[in-house]
């Protein structure tokens, strides 16, 4: 469809299709990589009646409290941090403000589905570079002329991570364009490139509170980088919607960042449950990609992934299936609680 | 400043400068048109521990509950509603998706400062049409070839409103482009153009919960219009950041929309306080523009507006001063509680 009232580009837009948010009750939901544990108990304390009544007031457009907490956490200064309404908003700003150049940008052919959507929205040329046979990103392929590089580490939906050394090797030679490391899943066992920020002024690291911080429902993400890169993001943010992080989201995010112990405990529990799940599925004949995230990509050997997806749904277990070459033989399964993963294994046994 | 890593347009961006959000305590804050009353008590009930623990989950990307409440409130269907992170995000989508054409768009020369910022962000040509002598928008001036029309009703920062008849006259002849009525302040005594939506498929009405609903801190706004116009906004939203309304914001907004009595009471209290304030300031020699909003534009006759702004700040009262031709003789004063407005009048008496 189209309409004479639309701006020209609207007709050609191909919006992102998020994972299903089912309205059915009693479903075990392992399809959108949410954290099975609630946010830090400190979040319950800060969202009190006083904070709710203060909703009559605008948020602090600089979100100083949250920036201070993050600056302390990462030993950066506040000018090296830009906050957004989820890391999706930050990614959008970064595509528009740092990746739109005459040369095409580079990212993996199997990766976060939103990257091509942003390219469509902002008219950015791109080249998708194939993952290696083992589903890892081969950063040597990125050593070519480009308008920018972006990849998740660990990658999604594969779960496979890159070492910090290999990322630094790319940064050493790729100095003419921005390199964005999208670290949505970094807290489940891999190393953040934030430690490289001091040495590489073209590095931008993007993180979210949606996974490891159990705040998917609060919509808070952030970019860390050289103040010049952050300035570009802030200019766009302040030309678009300066107050995009609401008052309660800022309170929740700040409390969460400050509660280091709870964060570490939750991440460790998920890693332990992931390792148990991998062993169980391997024992059932699944091929599992090495995961450094809160999900596993699992390929059944005696049933198609699509059929298993459908039958798990009948058992009221929802996982994610991508109808896409190479990964269509896999299911992406988020790591839930031990009990949820036991239910998954039991259901798979009964299906097989 | 600039950086070789920036996309070309970033250097030319002129971000919006929001009203000050002071960190000083004990200030009477009458500078950003916030509501002096807290949100509906129903909001306190819905943001409970269960809702906070559920922050681990993503929001419903279609925000069905809130859309249903709005659909009921306005007797529309859900396909006629697009939700955004504040009406600023909705305005941004509308500029990008409905106002970007080869012809220039039209808006008043004295109006919401963000309109020119969006034109800069999206590369949209515009013509600013002067307000009449009495600071009203002369809609006859808008009867000319254009790529779209946008104006606030009532206008900000003047507070002056247009009748529904005059808006319908424009819609009757201007059928080739979209007409956007930005109704941030409509609930304080003027009529919404929502009643015209059935007859004019090129009309988009934008409202916010930041003023009359006391939810500036929650960031929720919405557009009402023909399903074709809404489809353009949804495509952009879903190509940008599908989950921009967080879980608690959706709960708060839904509770607020459903609590009609509290809403009506608050609006009526603010109107009554506004009328009292106008009388008091007129008695002190101020010229006041006829306000249909929760603020008044007031011109002192024995001191410059700028000097009065500065001296009020010394009395710990913050109002808004715009250094802009024609309105630089005025102060924009948000309507607070009766007590706050009494303190304002007392302070002005002591200054004069």
């Amino acid at each position: 469809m189209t309409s004479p009232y639309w701006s020209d580009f609207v007709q050609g837009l191909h919006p992102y299709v998020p994972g299903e948010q089912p309205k059915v009750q009693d479903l075990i939901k392992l399809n959108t990589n949410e954290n099975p544990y609630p946010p830090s108990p400190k979040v319950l304390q800060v969202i009190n009646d006083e904070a709710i009544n203060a909703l009559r007031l605008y948020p602090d457009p600089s979100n100083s409290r949250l920036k201070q907490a993050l600056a302390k956490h990462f030993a950066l200064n506040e000018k090296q941090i830009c906050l957004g309404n989820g890391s999706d908003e930050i990614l959008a700003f970064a595509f528009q403000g740092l990746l739109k150049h005459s040369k095409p940008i580079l990212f993996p052919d199997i990766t976060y589905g939103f990257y091509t959507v942003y390219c469509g929205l902002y008219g950015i040329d791109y080249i998708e570079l194939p993952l290696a046979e083992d589903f890892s990103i081969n950063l040597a392929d990125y050593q070519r002329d480009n308008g920018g590089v972006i990849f998740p580490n660990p990658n999604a939906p594969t779960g496979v991570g890159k070492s910090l050394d290999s990322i630094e090797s790319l940064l050493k030679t790729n100095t003419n364009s921005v390199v964005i490391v999208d670290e949505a899943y970094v807290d489940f066992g891999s190393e953040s490139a934030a430690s490289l920020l001091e040495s590489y002024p073209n590095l931008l690291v993007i993180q979210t509170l949606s996974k490891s911080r159990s705040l998917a429902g609060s919509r808070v993400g952030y970019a860390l980088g050289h103040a010049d890169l952050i300035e570009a993001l802030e200019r766009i943010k302040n030309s678009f919607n300066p107050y995009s992080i609401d008052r309660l989201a800022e309170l929740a995010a700040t409390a969460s960042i400050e509660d280091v112990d709870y964060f570490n405990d939750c991440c460790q529990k998920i890693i332990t449950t992931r390792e148990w799940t991998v062993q169980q599925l391997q024992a059932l004949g699944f091929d599992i990609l090495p995961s450094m995230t809160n999900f596993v990509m699992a390929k059944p050997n005696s049933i198609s992934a699509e059929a298993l997806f459908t039958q798990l749904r009948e058992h009221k277990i929802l996982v994610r299936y991508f109808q896409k070459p190479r990964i269509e033989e896999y299911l992406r399964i988020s790591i839930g609680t031990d009990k949820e993963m036991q239910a998954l294994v039991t259901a798979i046994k009964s299906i097989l």
Side-chain angles (χ1 to χ4, degrees), chain A residues 316-330:
Chain A
K316 293 199 159 192
I317 296 174
L318 189 57
V319 300
R320 188 97 186 251
Y321 172 68
F322 297 88
Q323 207 150 25
K324 193 178 158 123
R326 288 187 74 188
I327 55 171
E328 70 197 350
E329 298 176 354
Y330 287 81

Side-chain angles (χ1 to χ4, degrees), chain A residues 21-81:
Chain A
Q21 296 294 350
K23 279 153 195 170
V24 187
Q25 295 293 309
D26 304 324
L27 214 55
I28 296 182
K29 194 171 173 306
L30 305 174
N31 71 325
T32 53
N33 301 339
E34 287 146 329
N35 200 308
Y37 304 107
S40 158
K42 304 255 162 75
V43 173
L44 287 171
Q45 289 167 25
V46 293
I47 302 185
N48 53 29
D49 285 6
E50 190 189 339
I52 295 168
N53 283 330
L55 287 174
R56 71 179 188 83
L57 300 170
Y58 281 95
D60 166 16
S62 59
N63 297 115
S64 309
R65 273 196 287 196
L66 178 52
K67 275 198 185 166
Q68 278 162 20
L70 285 166
K72 194 175 160 201
H73 187 77
F74 287 104
L76 296 170
N77 72 58
E78 291 175 42
K79 288 196 179 306
Q80 294 175 282
I81 302 168

Side-chain angles (χ1 to χ4, degrees), chain A residues 145-344:
Chain A
D145 207 26
N146 64 68
V149 171
I150 182 166
F151 58 90
N153 188 47
N155 194 14
T158 63
V160 179
K162 295 301 294 179
S163 73
L164 217 49
D165 282 353
S166 65
I167 294 171
E168 188 163 14
S169 295
L170 174 66
L171 285 163
K172 275 187 179 144
T173 53
N174 191 98
T175 56
N176 291 329
S177 71
V178 173
V179 174
I180 300 179
V181 186
D182 179 356
E183 297 188 336
Y185 299 101
V186 77
D187 296 320
F188 301 105
S190 57
E191 270 182 299
S192 172
S195 62
L196 303 175
L197 287 170
E198 185 108 4
S199 311
Y200 301 96
N202 61 328
L203 170 63
L204 194 78
V205 172
I206 296 180
Q207 296 193 352
T208 175
L209 280 82
S210 297
K211 320 290 185 189
S212 56
R213 300 278 176 182
S214 304
L215 286 173
S218 283
R219 319 304 308 125
V220 185
Y222 50 90
L224 310 173
H226 190 283
D228 286 357
L229 301 190
I230 297 301
E231 166 77 10
L233 305 183
E234 291 282 352
R235 282 190 187 202
I236 295 175
K237 178 186 168 90
N238 293 320
S239 299
F240 173 75
N241 188 17
Y243 295 99
S244 72
I245 296 177
D246 73 47
R247 293 181 75 94
L248 301 184
E250 183 179 8
L251 286 173
T254 307
S256 171
I257 295 290
E258 289 172 349
D259 194 351
V260 176
D261 289 344
Y262 183 83
F263 165 72
N264 287 336
D265 283 355
C266 281
C267 291
Q268 194 49 57
K269 277 200 281 190
I270 288 166
I271 292 169
T272 304
T273 308
R274 178 183 73 205
E275 298 317 310
W276 179 87
T277 306
V278 167
Q279 283 168 13
Q280 295 292 313
L281 294 178
Q282 281 173 336
L284 290 167
F286 283 74
D287 276 346
I288 314 275
L289 299 186
S291 170
M292 304 186 81
T293 62
N294 68 336
F295 60 85
V296 292
M297 278 293 262
K299 178 179 160 185
N301 71 351
S302 59
I303 183 175
S304 76
E306 192 170 12
L308 182 55
F309 167 82
T310 307
Q311 293 193 44
L312 280 172
R313 173 119 204 175
E314 283 161 21
H315 282 76
K316 293 199 159 192
I317 296 174
L318 189 57
V319 300
R320 188 97 186 251
Y321 172 68
F322 297 88
Q323 207 150 25
K324 193 178 158 123
R326 288 187 74 188
I327 55 171
E328 70 197 350
E329 298 176 354
Y330 287 81
L331 292 180
R332 194 192 68 184
I333 304 169
S334 306
I335 302 301
T337 60
D338 286 338
K339 203 175 146 196
E340 288 172 326
M341 302 321 278
Q342 281 154 12
L344 170 83

